[in-house]
Structures are given as C-alpha cells and as structure tokens.
Amino acid sequence: MTEPRKLYVRTYGCQMNVYDSERMAEALAPAGYVTTDSPDDADMILLNTCHIREKAAEKVYSELGRFKPLKAARPDLKIGVAGCVAQAEGEEMMRRQPMVDLVIGPQSYHRLPALEAKLRDGGRAVETEFPAEDKFDHLPKRPKAMRGPTAFLTVQEGCDKFCAFCVVPYTRGAEVSRPAARVLAEARDLVARGVREVTLLGQNVNAYHGEGPKGGEWSLARLVRALAEVEGLERIRYTTSHPNDMDDDLIAAHGDCDKLMPYLHLPVQAGSDRILKRMNRKHTAESYVRLIERIRAARPDILISGDFIVGFPEETEEDFRATLDLVEAVNYGYAFSFKYSPRPGTPATERAQVDPAEAQERLERLQALLGRQQRAVQDAMVGHEVSVLFEKPGRFPGQMAGKSEYLHAVHVEDPRAEAGRIARVRVTESHRNSLSGIIAET
C-alpha cells in the first residue's frame, strides 16, 4: 500500500478560517493526504491566513521563515499559503519568499487537488482569482468519520458593506449565499456524525439570501427555522452579523425558536456618529441601541457581544467618550476591542492617524469597562442553572468543559459530564473567563 502523505495545516483568525481549513484537508484527502499535528513530518504545510490583524502579511512571512530549515532538509516538502493574506499578496508572496510553492485565495480551495498535482510535477501555483463557479459545488462530500459535538457551517461569504477599515470585500469578494438545501444537507450530515450544535458562519451572516429548495430566496431566519427541524440538532448559533441586516423576522426568531441560542454577536465598532459615518457603517449609535432594545424585548435573557475599534483616524476624546456611553447603555456580556491599525488599500489608511499612545490609553479604558460588565454578567449567574453542552476534557483530571447557552465556558467535575451530553448545571463559581458548577439533580 502507498504510504499516506501528511498534511499540516496552521489556522489563523476567524471561525470561517477554521471551517475552511477542515474543507481544505478534506479536499486533499483523495490525493492521499492525512492530517498531522506537527510540521516536522509533513509532506505539505498549509498556512491558512487572516488579514484582519495588524501587519498580518509580515507575520506570515515571519512564520514562513521558521520553516526554512525544514525545506532545506527536505526539498520535496511543499509549502502553501492560503486565505486572505494569500489573496492580498498573490504573486508578490512568491517573489518575496521563493520557498513557497502554492498561494491560494479563500474562494479557490476546491482547486487544491489539481494544484497539488502540479506541485508534485515540480511546478508552483498561484490561484487568487474569484472563480465563477461555486467552490462548494466542487468540494468532495464530507467524510463520515465521527466528530465532536459542535461544528462550524459556512452559509455566506463575502461582504458588500465596504467599511473604511476593512479588507474583507477585497479578499473574500462580494456577498454570496449558499443554497438552503445544501446547508440543510450538510447540517444533517454533521448531525449523523455526532454534532449537536452548529454555528452558521458568514462575513455578514444575517445578510444571508440563499436560494430556497423550491425557488425564491430564504432569509437567515427562515434557514434557522428549517435547521431547527433537523432531528438531533439541538443548538443553533450564527456569527458575524451587521446591524443593518438584523430584520424583524430574525429578531422574532430569537424569541420563538428554542434551538436558537440566546447569544448574539453584533458589532457596532464605535459610539460616535461622526466616526461611524467616517467608517461607512451606515447606522447610528442611537439606531444600534434601539435595535438592541428590540432584540432584548424578543428574548430578554439574550447575551450581547460586540466589536470595537479604538483610535480610528480622526477620533477625538469626545468621540471616544461617546463609545463609552454606548457601552454603558448596552451592557455587554462579552466584547472584542482593538486599537485601529491601517490595512493597505482601505480608505482609512490615507486619513490622519490618532497618536498611538493616546489610542492605547483609550483602549485600556474601554477594555476595563467591558471587563467589568463581562464579570458582572458572569457573577450574576452564580446560584442559577444554565444548559451546558459538554465538548471535551478540561485542564484538570476528571474535569469536563462545555459551553452554556450564553456561550460561557463552563467546567464540571462529574462522571456524568460526557462529551455530547446536554445537562442543566448549577453555577457555583465565576472566574475571569469561565464558570464552574455542578450538574443539577434530575
């Protein structure tokens, strides 16, 4: 028998990249590849990159440099760069780093088998076009191996919003939604392999407008309700959303669909209308707060998380205080906050930049406020019960870790806490970023 080739994939960035890495590994499986956890014995190394963080491209080049000794020792080792940095850099990456054999953008990984064959013939390949065909139509069916109780499921890609700070429209392309029938089929397949919770993914997931099984377009709310009918699928989440695509039907689904978890990640980015306009967000601080009120009216216990950019070009102290005011008004259970950093090719790059030290000081103030809110929400859960889907062993012997319906990490020491089980847990302690508790008697 032919010895299987080994594939090492290192994933950076968002949940969609995690999903993409899984599908790339599956695409290469028919070519004889099995995944490995170490680059040292790999026949191919793939870096699945993200362009969101500061100096993303330079960090990829630095990472590639660490693989030079492996390439020198084994010239037949193939090294590829995939994802958004690959899409942005293209031929330039080949020029700057001759050890790279393959550069492939996020819309083209269905072509990996053909490109891999070209590499084995001694060639190199760059594939960063936006192909006319849908990659999902050309990927192999997912293997039937059992898997963990949670999974990501991409339903929408790309973005038409063109926020002034963001590279996604340039690296992922225009908004495209997968047909509902294919999403439902993949969800059923995941459930058959042990999955009990799916997180629907998209750059603007609530802009989903996939073709329905009998024609016409389905909204995300209709897709969620159809997924709720899948037997064995117990939990549904989705991320990431844009406030402008949060329609009435989706808000209502949070109140009437039991399987849709009471957690919503809804980025606002800033609390100043002046800055929001300069960001090209097309919503105001007040419209965002009113939207949160409507969502909470539909599902009072919902936990809201968000994204914030501090130190956006031209931001003043008054603008920043407006962001603090919005945070106070919303009361977030969790949030991601970052200091603005320029992305080449985006409009904000050309504007007057905020002093880095001042931006850092503002970030620390914002994070302190968000941290207090997060801890208050967690502390309030002590003594109450949450529903936990156990996923994997915790860090300590006899401990199992899972997620509550509010996406909090929960740890339990109990032999009944088995992976894939959903149980009521009485919270006994609140920690910095997690909860612990005991399984409630049933």
Side-chain angles (χ1 to χ4, degrees):
M1 293 182 62
T2 303
E3 189 75 17
R5 301 184 182 94
K6 294 184 179 180
L7 171 69
Y8 173 76
V9 183
R10 181 169 294 179
T11 307
Y12 305 83
C14 66
Q15 298 100 322
M16 192 174 287
N17 270 14
V18 175
Y19 176 89
D20 285 352
S21 291
E22 292 177 358
R23 301 310 309 266
M24 284 191 282
E26 291 164 5
L28 287 169
Y33 282 89
V34 297
T35 56
T36 178
D37 293 330
S38 171
D40 296 334
D41 61 352
D43 298 288
M44 177 182 283
I45 293 172
L46 272 179
L47 303 184
N48 190 13
T49 61
C50 175
H51 213 301
I52 297 299
R53 300 292 178 261
E54 185 177 8
K55 299 180 180 177
E58 294 307 315
K59 290 176 181 177
V60 172
Y61 287 117
S62 176
E63 187 70 16
L64 287 169
R66 297 189 181 97
F67 295 127
K68 278 188 176 180
L70 290 178
K71 186 78 168 180
R74 293 187 288 121
D76 289 339
L77 170 67
K78 305 304 180 186
I79 296 179
V81 181
C84 291
V85 172
Q87 183 71 40
E89 293 288 296
E91 295 276 1
E92 176 67 9
M93 182 162 284
M94 288 284 203
R95 187 190 68 78
R96 286 188 58 181
Q97 190 51 273
M99 65 181 281
V100 173
D101 302 287
L102 170 67
V103 176
I104 184 167
Q107 304 306 324
S108 303
Y109 60 71
H110 59 294
R111 297 183 179 178
L112 269 172
L115 297 174
E116 186 274 340
K118 181 178 180 180
L119 302 189
R120 280 191 280 124
D121 288 340
R124 302 171 80 200
V126 177
E127 181 63 76
T128 56
E129 298 299 319
F130 289 105
E133 74 269 22
D134 184 348
K135 67 184 178 187
F136 295 103
D137 290 345
H138 297 270
L139 288 166
K141 289 186 177 181
R142 307 201 74 167
K144 295 298 181 183
M146 294 299 289
R147 54 179 298 158
T150 65
F152 295 125
L153 175 50
T154 292
V155 302
Q156 180 270 342
E157 287 191 279
C159 182
D160 297 340
K161 299 294 189 290
F162 288 91
C163 295
F165 52 81
C166 186
V167 298
V168 167
Y170 312 102
T171 58
R172 288 276 182 174
E175 289 180 359
V176 177
S177 297
R178 297 179 65 189
R182 292 175 190 164
V183 174
L184 291 167
E186 188 169 341
R188 293 188 190 101
D189 176 71
L190 289 168
V191 169
R193 295 190 286 128
V195 170
R196 303 196 72 187
E197 173 185 299
V198 295
T199 299
L200 309 179
L201 300 180
Q203 269 80 38
N204 278 322
V205 68
N206 58 338
Y208 176 83
H209 56 276
E211 179 186 359
K214 297 181 180 180
E217 286 189 352
W218 278 24
S219 66
L220 183 63
R222 188 169 182 181
L223 180 64
V224 165
R225 290 191 172 96
L227 285 165
E229 298 298 320
V230 174
E231 187 175 354
L233 181 60
E234 302 298 333
R235 292 178 159 199
I236 302 166
R237 305 183 189 274
Y238 62 89
T239 195
T240 290
S241 301
H242 193 287
N244 292 357
D245 294 315
M246 203 75 199
D247 62 24
D248 293 343
D249 197 21
L250 187 55
I251 293 172
H254 278 280
D256 60 36
C257 184
D258 292 339
K259 291 186 178 180
L260 182 57
M261 294 294 96
Y263 172 91
L264 176 61
H265 185 65
L266 193 61
V268 63
Q269 306 299 357
S272 161
D273 287 347
R274 188 180 75 88
I275 293 299
L276 287 170
K277 186 174 182 179
R278 297 293 283 156
M279 287 180 168
N280 196 35
R281 290 290 291 175
K282 296 185 174 69
H283 62 79
T284 66
E286 182 179 2
S287 68
Y288 178 86
V289 172
R290 298 290 85 81
L291 176 61
I292 297 297
E293 291 173 351
R294 292 173 56 211
I295 295 166
R296 283 178 168 152
R299 183 66 193 257
D301 67 328
I302 196 167
L303 186 148
I304 302 293
S305 73
D307 288 347
F308 294 90
I309 295 174
V310 173
F312 187 77
E314 305 165 359
E315 180 190 72
T316 65
E317 176 63 20
E318 182 180 0
D319 292 322
F320 175 68
R321 286 199 301 270
T323 296
L324 296 180
D325 290 342
L326 182 142
V327 171
E328 292 278 13
V330 172
N331 191 29
Y332 289 89
Y334 196 71
F336 302 90
S337 52
F338 309 97
K339 185 169 63 174
Y340 171 80
S341 57
R343 298 291 177 271
T346 59
T349 302
E350 306 301 322
R351 300 175 187 167
Q353 305 295 303
V354 174
D355 176 71
E358 189 171 358
Q360 180 63 35
E361 188 270 340
R362 290 175 186 169
L363 179 63
E364 290 171 3
R365 287 158 59 194
L366 174 62
Q367 290 180 338
L369 173 58
L370 291 168
R372 290 194 297 272
Q373 290 187 346
Q374 176 186 340
R375 190 57 188 266
V377 169
Q378 289 185 190
D379 290 350
M381 291 184 173
V382 174
H384 295 272
E385 290 185 7
V386 293
S387 175
V388 177
L389 171 57
F390 293 107
E391 299 177 29
K392 59 185 179 181
R395 290 186 297 171
F396 304 106
Q399 186 184 73
M400 283 294 291
K403 291 291 197 310
S404 76
E405 62 266 55
Y406 307 106
L407 206 63
H408 284 124
V410 182
H411 298 95
V412 169
E413 293 182 18
D414 191 310
R416 295 175 291 174
E418 300 175 342
R421 179 185 176 185
I422 298 175
R424 300 295 299 178
V425 172
R426 182 173 293 109
V427 178
T428 57
E429 292 182 78
S430 170
H431 310 287
R432 182 177 180 183
N433 291 305
S434 67
L435 304 170
S436 57
I438 57 174
I439 294 180
E441 294 296 329
T442 57

